Amino acid sequence: MPPQILLGQLMIRVAFVSLFLSKPAHASFSSPATKFPIAKRGCNDTCGDVKIPYPFGIGQGCYLDEGLGSFGITCNSSYNPPKAFLKDTKIDITEISPQGQLNVLQFIARECYDHTLGDEPRADYSLPKFAINRTSNKLIGIGCDTSTYAEGIRFQGHKNMKHKIRCISTCDTPNAVINGSCSGSGCCQASIPKGMKILNLTVRSVENHIFVRNFSPCSYAFFIQKSEFNFYFDNLTNLERTEKLPLVLNWAIGDENQTCETAKQNLSSYACQNNTICINGEGNYTGYRCSCKEGYQGNPYLTNNGCQDINECQMKENNSCKFKDFCHNFEGGYNCSCPEGYTINGDGKGSEGCIPRHKKHHQLLAGIITAGIMAGNVALLAFCSWCYNVYKKRKMTTLREKFFRDNGGLILQKKIKGQEESSSYTTKIFSIEGLKKATNNFHDSKIIGQGGFGIVYKGCLPDKREVAIKKSKLINHNQIEQFINEVVILSQVNHKNVVKLLGCCLETEVPLLVYEFINNGTLFKHLDDKHMASEICWDIRLKIAAETAEALSYLHSAASPPIIHRDIKTTNILLDKNYTARVSDFGASRLGPLDDTQFSTMVQGTRGYLDPEFFQTFQLTEKSDVYSFGVVLVELLTGKKPVCFERSEGEISLSHHFLSSMKENRLLEILEDRIVCEGNIEQLKQVASLAEQCLNVKGEDRLPMQHIAMELMGLRIASKHNWVQSANVEELSPLIDQQNQMPV
Ligand SMILES: *[C@@H]1O[C@H](CO)[C@@H](O)[C@H](O)[C@H]1NC(C)=O
Ligand SMILES: *[C@@H]1O[C@H](CO)[C@@H](O)[C@H](O)[C@H]1NC(C)=O
Ligand SMILES: *[C@@H]1O[C@H](CO)[C@@H](O)[C@H](O)[C@H]1NC(C)=O
Ligand SMILES: *[C@@H]1O[C@H](CO)[C@@H](O)[C@H](O)[C@H]1NC(C)=O
Ligand SMILES: *[C@@H]1O[C@H](CO)[C@@H](O)[C@H](O)[C@H]1NC(C)=O
Ligand SMILES: *[C@@H]1O[C@H](CO)[C@@H](O)[C@H](O)[C@H]1NC(C)=O
Ligand SMILES: *[C@@H]1O[C@H](CO)[C@@H](O)[C@H](O)[C@H]1NC(C)=O
Ligand SMILES: *[C@@H]1O[C@H](CO)[C@@H](O)[C@H](O)[C@H]1NC(C)=O
Ligand SMILES: *[C@@H]1O[C@H](CO)[C@@H](O)[C@H](O)[C@H]1NC(C)=O
Ligand SMILES: *[C@@H]1O[C@H](CO)[C@@H](O)[C@H](O)[C@H]1NC(C)=O
Ligand SMILES: *[C@@H]1O[C@H](CO)[C@@H](O)[C@H](O)[C@H]1NC(C)=O
Ligand SMILES: *[C@@H]1O[C@H](CO)[C@@H](O)[C@H](O)[C@H]1NC(C)=O
């Protein structure tokens, strides 16, 4: 039989996976967040760039009418893009948040020395339905002869009371005005009391700017979103060109005197629909809001298709069943079960959710396979002698077959044949001819990576699929072991954040591994390159961290014994064009920790990432992966390399430098500037604290990977929990810096 035919037969399914893992994964491994309607049926849910969730709406019948047209919106399409206005006002809406905020643009009040400039000393904020958000805004007056006051109504003790706030700004010379200081000289500010609404804002001059008209010819007053404003000397004159400024309003259902409790008494007017909870406004008696119950998502104000059950089982990332395929969705939640051979432990969630039913049997099995892989040489010899016999019988003596044999092809074949039945995907055995064609005969121009391990080529298969082909450098028993190791491990894992092994080629002296091609390079490259680093903003970094953690958590928990990667670093995290992280390079990986007697003779890790405990125990465990991952987290936070001798002493090792900075509460000093902004500082701190816990010198004190993955995912969900994309936060950071508002 010619070898090609034999090899063709070898396109076998690697079913090894079924031994340890659950049922095969479905084709649709992850599903994008389910779409749900936000507006009433038949109503338009966008106006230009603004998403319009009910109770807001455009046109009669599309919004909740509580009198005064309160939630009505006018969409004016004579602008491009069209602009949304609060009905019957000239206030533009830029964003409606389901958490009860409304971002708008509002006019400023102005009065000038030269009244022909177009005075408008009053600005009308009399919106009966919307209070000015007290925590996000402030009242600002600008000018050197300026008196600003706002008069409005506060609902207090079940009564409406008039309330006034004012601020005065004066200065005699331009020198008295200081950039960044808004404390009465050129600029004054006042904070807003609780529950103030229906405001009139007025700006006046005391002496009609007579003495200051050269440098401050006008007075201005406005309410503005704090984070959007920092005072500069130039503002004394340049506000002339500004018409409107951003402001945050609050919205809620019901009158000022209504609470969830009073609203529920009249169900025909109660706005919260099925599967919701009701939330009172700040304090009580500012109206109420609705929110979907846990386990549901959607628009809580819609009657028919409002809060809908989340199918957690479809979203593998966020069901915490140990075996993702043994998940049962039901209204408002899900539960887990365990595959055959396992028994449920507690609720089936988390890494301890399913435990082997027959521990002994299981351990024996695990032992056999671990030994098979770890003592690869022995296994190789044994199998090779076996395969030698088989081959002798068949009288096949070509060189290719020898290589195939030496490269452990028959071990693989045997393993594969043993478990034909259930398998999720197939590992293909490629012919050398095919791979030569794919890489232009391994031409140098196809090299995409090179290192101690060998060379990686980019190839293109006849079906136009792009692949990465890894060719190990040296050929010795150790490497064959690693090679088989990687094949066996990778054929066991099927996770969206782990690089897929498509197959291997065993006909060459040096074994070749064929992977899917991940087209956007390594995380290392993205952090190292200044231009690229600016592209990966904090949200993307958090995504990469969470996905890498997810993959490691899967490796540590989905298989038993766990798979330990042993060489986590930024060069082993690949990114695709959507910045989805893919963990690669399993050459050093092992199933399970080594026995005491089998300590590794070869240092596997990479400088800067290596678990400090390794130097005592000579063992790499799951907690070593956690340590290395901690270093990756710190790199994402700081943009610095793990080891750099050009840095000053004490900063050479990034992890060391990071830990000491954390201890001295100087985190902000080492964070990469471009990822820091007011909105995410809490999140950065939380991630830094996770990293700190990963870098614990004692392995047992480090968090388990499952926990880290869950925390990171939680942070991602929290920051995404918005119907509308948040404003471009990057632009705000300089303002915040100068105001020194960053908590340390
Ligand atoms: C589940 O994960 C997806 C994507 O990772 C996210 O969009 C969604 O909000 C999550 N849902 C829950 C209920 O955690
Ligand atoms: C919704 O309104 C926008 C802007 O006015 C318009 O471009 C779009 O076609 C409308 N969509 C529907 C479904 O009416
Ligand atoms: C839309 O805006 C234009 C320009 O400001 C204005 O002339 C027009 O009256 C507006 N249309 C509506 C329907 O409000
Ligand atoms: C003001 O807005 C912030 C978010 O921007 C929100 O957390 C806060 O609750 C709002 N204040 C009131 C009084 O609703
Ligand atoms: C605001 O100004 C309008 C018009 O001048 C006036 O009718 C109203 O009473 C004022 N409101 C307050 C709270 O002063
Ligand atoms: C204030 O800021 C402006 C830029 O807006 C700059 O030109 C000016 O030099 C600054 N003045 C001081 C005293 O820092
Ligand atoms: C104040 O002046 C600065 C510097 O010219 C400018 O960048 C900023 O936009 C001005 N602020 C406002 C609210 O217009
Ligand atoms: C709520 O206030 C309105 C007037 O603002 C009043 O007519 C109504 O009776 C009050 N309702 C309750 C339940 O207090
Ligand atoms: C309940 O609400 C409906 C609709 O808003 C209203 O017509 C009705 O008078 C209210 N009933 C009571 C008892 O307040
Ligand atoms: C709001 O009402 C709830 C329940 O009626 C009460 O427990 C809470 O103390 C009230 N809060 C304020 C700030 O009045
Ligand atoms: C709420 O759910 C109940 C039972 O599931 C159903 O009978 C009722 O029609 C639902 N109400 C709305 C407003 O959808
Ligand atoms: C999981 O939920 C399903 C459907 O509600 C139920 O039949 C099953 O008994 C539950 N299993 C466990 C372990 O709670």
Side-chain angles (χ1 to χ4, degrees):
M1 206 193 313
Q4 274 81 2
I5 294 174
L6 176 83
L7 291 162
Q9 289 172 343
L10 277 174
M11 292 173 56
I12 314 160
R13 316 165 78 194
V14 176
F16 197 64
V17 57
S18 62
L19 263 181
F20 298 115
L21 299 184
S22 57
K23 280 198 303 196
H26 298 297
S28 59
F29 199 77
S30 63
S31 71
T34 330
K35 275 222 160 121
F36 49 81
I38 61 168
K40 262 191 159 178
R41 192 167 288 156
C43 297
N44 198 332
D45 66 359
T46 47
C47 174
D49 300 329
V50 185
K51 289 239 180 308
I52 304 186
Y54 189 75
F56 291 87
I58 307 165
Q60 202 60 42
C62 284
Y63 57 89
L64 180 65
D65 195 349
E66 296 191 305
L68 307 163
S70 47
F71 292 108
I73 283 176
T74 316
C75 189
N76 190 335
S77 15
S78 49
Y79 297 93
N80 185 20
K83 277 192 187 172
F85 294 90
L86 280 176
K87 197 158 177 273
D88 305 324
T89 71
K90 286 180 177 165
I91 300 179
D92 315 33
I93 299 175
T94 52
E95 185 178 340
I96 300 172
S97 129
Q99 279 84 38
Q101 275 79 49
L102 196 58
N103 291 51
V104 299
L105 297 175
Q106 171 60 314
F107 290 103
I108 62 185
R110 69 184 85 221
E111 189 202 33
C112 295
Y113 168 74
D114 179 356
H115 294 289
T116 60
L117 282 177
D119 277 4
E120 196 55 66
R122 294 180 83 87
D124 186 6
Y125 290 78
S126 51
L127 302 160
K129 194 63 206 160
F130 306 105
I132 293 183
N133 184 307
R134 172 174 70 94
T135 45
S136 304
N137 305 294
K138 54 191 176 185
L139 170 65
I140 301 280
I142 287 187
C144 282
D145 175 9
T146 302
S147 161
T148 301
Y149 65 92
E151 194 171 18
I153 287 167
R154 286 181 75 187
F155 190 80
Q156 268 184 317
H158 299 253
K159 287 206 297 272
N160 282 328
M161 313 266 275
K162 277 210 170 189
H163 193 93
K164 236 181 201 181
I165 47 179
R166 65 159 68 237
C167 80
I168 290 175
S169 164
T170 56
C171 42
D172 300 329
T173 64
N175 293 341
V177 179
I178 300 161
N179 280 342
S181 157
C182 187
S183 49
S185 185
C187 175
C188 66
Q189 58 182 326
S191 50
I192 302 161
K194 192 155 125 186
M196 188 136 165
K197 57 166 74 172
I198 320 184
L199 292 147
N200 285 332
L201 176 62
T202 310
V203 65
R204 294 252 168 80
S205 71
V206 184
E207 296 160 311
N208 194 22
H209 302 276
I210 289 169
F211 304 107
V212 295
R213 63 174 189 268
N214 292 338
F215 59 96
S216 170
C218 296
S219 291
Y220 306 96
F222 44 85
F223 289 99
I224 189 168
Q225 196 174 345
K226 276 182 202 170
S227 56
E228 298 280 333
F229 183 71
N230 195 17
F231 175 67
Y232 290 95
F233 178 79
D234 296 6
N235 295 135
L236 287 176
T237 46
N238 72 6
L239 279 168
E240 202 44 58
R241 297 189 291 274
T242 309
E243 194 185 28
K244 290 179 175 179
L245 289 169
L247 173 72
V248 182
L249 302 176
N250 289 338
W251 64 271
I253 310 283
D255 295 327
E256 295 94 343
N257 54 7
Q258 223 162 25
T259 62
C260 287
E261 292 69 34
T262 59
K264 277 177 192 162
Q265 285 163 14
N266 185 354
L267 283 179
S268 62
S269 62
Y270 181 53
C272 302
Q273 304 299 328
N274 273 356
N275 304 319
T276 58
I277 51 172
C278 180
I279 301 163
N280 272 319
E282 189 192 29
N284 287 331
Y285 302 105
T286 50
Y288 63 94
R289 286 189 296 111
C290 313
S291 166
C292 286
K293 267 193 210 157
E294 210 180 314
Y296 291 87
Q297 63 181 357
N299 184 335
Y301 303 96
L302 289 177
T303 339
N304 292 317
N305 42 13
C307 293
Q308 297 159 24
D309 175 48
I310 299 173
N311 188 342
E312 291 87 354
C313 297
Q314 243 168 36
M315 297 180 293
K316 308 250 166 177
E317 305 90 341
N318 41 19
N319 82 59
S320 55
C321 293
K322 171 162 183 180
F323 295 96
K324 301 289 177 195
D325 287 299
F326 287 77
C327 171
H328 308 284
N329 184 57
F330 51 81
E331 277 282 312
Y334 69 100
N335 63 21
C336 311
S337 60
C338 297
E340 211 157 288
Y342 284 85
T343 179
I344 198 156
N345 185 20
D347 57 4
K349 295 178 184 174
S351 64
E352 289 298 312
C354 292
I355 52 173
R357 184 169 285 144
H358 309 293
K359 257 206 154 146
K360 267 196 177 153
H361 169 70
H362 177 76
Q363 275 173 354
L364 183 66
L365 200 58
I368 290 169
I369 281 138
T370 312
I373 290 150
M374 307 241 307
N377 296 346
V378 179
L380 192 75
L381 279 175
F383 277 111
C384 271
S385 63
W386 176 81
C387 57
Y388 183 66
N389 288 331
V390 175
Y391 268 61
K392 208 160 73 173
K393 262 188 221 147
R394 294 185 183 182
K395 295 187 168 63
M396 290 203 237
T397 50
T398 67
L399 192 59
R400 272 186 193 166
E401 284 145 23
K402 179 183 171 320
F403 287 145
F404 179 84
R405 195 170 63 234
D406 288 352
N407 288 342
L410 283 150
I411 302 176
L412 273 181
Q413 186 183 13
K414 176 115 200 274
K415 278 184 175 156
I416 289 161
K417 266 205 176 149
Q419 9 265 329
E420 290 271 52
E421 359 64 78
S422 65
S423 162
S424 48
Y425 69 101
T426 55
T427 301
K428 186 172 167 172
I429 299 200
F430 289 89
S431 72
I432 184 66
E433 298 306 330
L435 294 185
K436 273 186 178 165
K437 225 174 255 164
T439 56
N440 196 6
N441 204 6
F442 296 102
H443 194 267
D444 284 352
S445 66
K446 299 283 181 182
I447 294 180
I448 52 174
Q450 214 159 356
F453 55 85
I455 304 175
V456 181
Y457 295 88
K458 181 178 174 182
C460 186
L461 298 181
D463 61 7
K464 297 273 188 299
R465 250 189 315 167
E466 289 188 321
V467 291
I469 299 166
K470 181 167 143 186
K471 189 177 189 178
S472 300
K473 213 178 229 166
L474 295 164
I475 181 76
N476 61 35
H477 278 305
N478 211 342
Q479 239 125 11
I480 289 179
E481 187 194 340
Q482 283 200 12
F483 162 76
I484 299 209
N485 206 20
E486 185 157 2
V487 173
V488 171
I489 285 173
L490 278 176
S491 42
Q492 280 187 75
V493 300
N494 182 8
H495 189 273
K496 68 176 179 45
N497 299 118
V498 175
V499 165
K500 273 206 179 48
L501 178 72
L502 300 174
C504 51
C505 174
L506 305 161
E507 296 168 47
T508 49
E509 188 185 6
V510 185
L512 301 170
L513 291 177
V514 182
Y515 301 88
E516 61 177 329
F517 179 69
I518 309 294
N519 57 8
N520 206 357
T522 64
L523 176 58
F524 174 82
K525 196 178 83 182
H526 282 265
L527 289 176
D528 188 40
D529 181 307
K530 276 237 154 56
H531 174 67
M532 281 174 145
S534 67
E535 302 259 294
I536 50 169
C537 65
W538 172 242
D539 280 353
I540 291 175
R541 293 183 191 208
L542 182 60
K543 170 177 146 82
I544 293 167
E547 286 173 346
T548 306
E550 189 71 19
L552 288 174
S553 156
Y554 171 86
L555 295 172
H556 290 178
S557 67
S560 177
I563 298 169
I564 301 169
H565 186 287
R566 315 214 312 167
D567 200 9
I568 288 297
K569 53 182 171 181
T570 48
T571 45
N572 281 342
I573 298 171
L574 304 180
L575 300 176
D576 70 12
K577 64 177 190 307
N578 300 322
Y579 297 104
T580 302
R582 309 292 291 270
V583 174
S584 78
D585 201 343
F586 287 76
S589 306
R590 300 269 184 200
L591 289 173
L594 296 168
D595 288 351
D596 294 344
T597 51
Q598 292 177 298
F599 61 79
S600 176
T601 48
M602 184 167 68
V603 177
Q604 299 276 10
T606 303
R607 193 164 60 186
Y609 293 94
L610 190 57
D611 180 358
E613 273 199 339
F614 177 82
F615 299 110
Q616 279 139 39
T617 61
F618 294 101
Q619 278 190 26
L620 291 171
T621 65
E622 288 123 297
K623 293 301 173 81
S624 313
D625 280 356
V626 172
Y627 183 90
S628 309
F629 178 74
V631 178
V632 172
L633 272 185
V634 177
E635 288 182 77
L636 286 168
L637 286 166
T638 61
K640 296 191 168 80
K641 294 204 177 94
V643 178
C644 177
F645 291 100
E646 280 148 34
R647 294 198 289 253
S648 66
E649 206 181 323
E651 297 184 10
I652 291 174
S653 155
L654 178 59
S655 51
H656 184 261
H657 179 41
F658 170 77
L659 288 174
S660 60
S661 299
M662 285 293 277
K663 208 171 274 160
E664 292 156 27
N665 222 348
R666 289 188 289 112
L667 170 65
L668 285 172
E669 290 170 28
I670 66 163
L671 290 179
E672 189 163 11
D673 289 343
R674 64 176 131 240
I675 64 166
V676 183
C677 67
E678 187 183 43
N680 70 5
I681 197 77
E682 250 332 290
Q683 206 174 56
L684 293 173
K685 279 188 184 168
Q686 279 167 307
V687 174
S689 150
L690 268 184
E692 191 180 24
Q693 295 177 71
C694 293
L695 295 176
N696 224 311
V697 174
K698 285 183 78 173
E700 64 193 53
D701 293 342
R702 292 173 208 150
L703 293 171
M705 214 60 222
Q706 289 85 337
H707 185 113
I708 297 163
M710 222 113 74
E711 294 262 318
L712 288 170
M713 192 161 56
L715 289 175
R716 281 194 71 198
I717 290 167
S719 71
K720 269 191 177 169
H721 197 70
N722 256 332
W723 282 337
V724 190
Q725 288 292 312
S726 62
N728 186 356
V729 282
E730 238 114 295
E731 280 174 17
L732 312 186
S733 46
L735 288 176
I736 297 151
D737 276 341
Q738 280 149 9
Q739 290 185 336
N740 275 330
Q741 288 186 344
M742 273 190 322
V744 180

